[in-house]
Amino acid sequence: VDEGIDFLSKQIEKNPKNSNAYRMRGQLLVTQKKLDEAVADLTKALEINAKDPLALMLRGEIYMDQKKLEEAR
């Protein structure tokens, strides 16, 4: 997982507009229970591509688990 995060971080450095890299890194961060970092990456992915349903769903699930119901909407 760490290697995947490192790889995706390098991809983001090369292309900061790569919403897929932010989303995938956010997914990996969830598996490591780094939820604040995951939310930050998923939010960035959505800033770049507001129509990314997976990023929206994953971020919503994190907010629901954290009982942040207003943010989950």
Side-chain angles (χ1 to χ4, degrees):
V1 172
D2 289 332
E3 290 175 5
I5 291 172
D6 290 342
F7 173 79
L8 292 165
S9 295
K10 289 176 186 170
Q11 295 306 306
I12 291 167
E13 281 181 34
K14 291 178 186 176
N15 180 6
K17 300 281 186 193
N18 185 342
S19 65
N20 290 328
Y22 279 104
R23 179 182 29 79
M24 289 187 286
R25 188 171 72 178
Q27 288 176 272
L28 291 177
L29 290 165
V30 168
T31 67
Q32 293 187 326
K33 306 292 185 211
K34 296 180 180 178
L35 301 182
D36 290 337
E37 292 176 54
V39 166
D41 273 2
L42 295 168
T43 298
K44 185 64 178 177
L46 289 165
E47 287 172 6
I48 297 167
N49 178 11
K51 295 184 180 195
D52 184 335
L54 187 52
L56 190 59
M57 181 191 70
L58 288 169
R59 189 178 69 172
E61 287 177 355
I62 293 168
Y63 284 145
M64 294 287 284
D65 288 345
Q66 294 176 331
K67 308 291 187 228
K68 295 180 179 179
L69 303 183
E70 200 57 38
E71 289 92 335
R73 292 180 180 214

